[in-house]
Amino acid sequence: MALSLAFLALVIERLLGYPQWLVDRIGHPVIWIGRLIGALETRFNRLDQSFARRKALGVATFIVLLTVTGTAATVIESALLWLPLGILVVALFSSSLLAQKSLEDHVRAVADALESGGLTAGRKAVSMIVGRDPDQLDEAGVCRAAIESLAENFSDGITAPAVWLGLLGLPGGALYKATNTADSMIGHRNARYGAYGWAAARFDDLVNLPASRLTALLFIAAAAMTPGAAPRAAWQAVRRDAGKHKSPNAGWPEAAMAGALGLGLAGPRVYGGVLVDDHVMGEGGRREATAIDIRRALTLSRTADQLLIILFGLLAVGFIVLV
């Protein structure tokens, strides 16, 4: 059932997304999870406590977060499966954990902004999807940031939740989303979160390992089906550069995307006024990315998304046949 659920959720989210009117009325699972994380962090992450105590409280907080999220998702899935065509209802609910349509819309908005409003508009649009300082980016930097965000968030926001939905059903997808949201909110290596967010950051690294590798393979396969893309260069970039990224996971999809498009992505970047000196993915590739490259990246990611949906469809059918 879990594989069928993941396949149906991918199809539903690809077609419908998560409507803004629904966000306005009831919110979104990430919003609900974020509120719980925020409340726990406000209560327990006190800077006047020792590093060890804050780390322990962060571990306890993370366990509470996973317990609440996993229990709620299990109850919801069990209740919905009793309904007629219950798996479709669960898939509709599960589709909210995926971000195919919204990710594509946000990245396309950067290309649209650059082409219609220039650098200022592009910086504003890219600030919606990246954490780095937009004012530090020239036009090529804006374009690289958008493409890097597309590659990394394809793994984090599409492949990974689909993988965990396919393995453990709605509870698996929800637990992954709670982990990833916690990492985004409190998993930073700074004075405030270095101790408290340690558990969330390390666990997020672990649960994203399979998805980041699968995403790189999807991008390489998509490059073989995309005119102008280079699957061989994508494979070489992954083998050469992926392991040199500061993140144990982000380098895989970024390197594959960089090699496929002939670009040099990542490298030194500024976050919160602090320079992060990272290795270039697609070393030797062109650094002067343009809005056209953003659209090329979107074409590649759409093909990869189609391949992911087909993969889960084949796995679901294969499992049903074998059973």
Side-chain angles (χ1 to χ4, degrees):
M1 186 204 75
L3 287 169
S4 298
L5 175 64
F7 168 70
L8 291 171
L10 282 164
V11 172
I12 291 170
E13 207 283 330
R14 174 73 267 181
L15 295 175
L16 303 178
Y18 193 86
Q20 184 59 44
W21 64 264
L22 197 57
V23 176
D24 296 337
R25 292 193 178 188
I26 66 170
H28 184 278
V30 171
I31 296 175
W32 308 333
I33 291 169
R35 286 173 179 167
L36 176 57
I37 295 169
L40 291 170
E41 195 266 338
T42 300
R43 173 67 178 82
F44 295 110
N45 186 23
R46 294 169 50 189
L47 298 180
D48 59 342
Q49 296 177 325
S50 69
F51 185 94
R53 179 166 175 76
R54 290 170 62 213
K55 187 174 182 179
L57 286 170
V59 172
T61 293
F62 189 57
I63 291 172
V64 170
L65 171 67
L66 295 185
T67 301
V68 171
T69 303
T71 300
T74 300
V75 170
I76 290 170
E77 182 180 74
S78 299
L80 293 178
L81 285 175
W82 282 97
L83 298 174
L85 299 176
I87 190 170
L88 286 176
V89 182
V90 178
L92 182 62
F93 194 94
S94 300
S95 69
S96 66
L97 304 175
L98 299 160
Q100 297 148 278
K101 193 171 185 301
S102 62
L103 175 60
E104 184 175 314
D105 289 345
H106 279 91
V107 174
R108 187 189 300 109
V110 179
D112 291 343
L114 283 169
E115 291 173 346
S116 63
L119 179 57
T120 300
R123 285 172 171 170
K124 182 177 180 181
V126 84
S127 70
M128 304 296 293
I129 57 173
V130 300
R132 68 195 69 175
D133 297 339
D135 291 340
Q136 301 289 327
L137 301 175
D138 58 12
E139 184 169 338
V142 168
C143 294
R144 289 196 305 271
I147 296 169
E148 291 160 18
S149 180
L150 174 63
E152 183 177 355
N153 284 298
F154 190 102
S155 180
D156 293 353
I158 301 173
T159 309
V163 165
W164 290 106
L165 280 169
L167 288 172
L168 300 174
L170 178 59
L175 287 169
Y176 168 75
K177 208 65 179 180
T179 300
N180 191 241
T181 304
D183 178 60
S184 297
M185 292 181 64
I186 63 174
H188 309 291
R189 295 180 180 179
N190 55 29
R192 179 172 178 178
Y193 297 122
Y196 186 77
W198 173 84
R202 298 292 75 75
F203 195 68
D204 183 74
D205 287 342
L206 177 64
V207 298
N208 271 300
L209 281 172
S212 61
R213 277 66 176 171
L214 175 57
T215 300
L217 292 176
L218 289 169
F219 284 167
I220 294 168
M225 305 168 65
T226 303
R232 181 183 178 88
W235 172 254
Q236 291 172 339
V238 168
R239 292 189 61 188
R240 182 186 63 240
D241 301 326
K244 299 175 183 177
H245 199 286
K246 284 188 177 296
S247 164
N249 295 309
W252 291 76
E254 287 186 17
M257 180 70 79
L261 301 181
L263 295 173
L265 300 176
R269 304 180 297 282
V270 177
Y271 292 89
V274 178
L275 177 65
V276 176
D277 188 15
D278 205 352
H279 190 81
V280 174
M281 300 293 103
E283 190 173 13
R286 175 170 50 88
R287 294 287 283 172
E288 294 303 310
T290 67
I292 293 175
D293 291 309
I294 296 177
R295 299 197 187 281
R296 293 173 62 217
L298 285 167
T299 299
L300 186 74
S301 70
R302 277 194 296 271
T303 303
D305 189 38
Q306 292 164 4
L307 291 174
L308 181 66
I309 293 172
I310 291 171
L311 173 63
F312 273 95
L314 291 174
L315 288 172
V317 170
F319 184 81
I320 292 170
V321 170
L322 289 174
V323 173

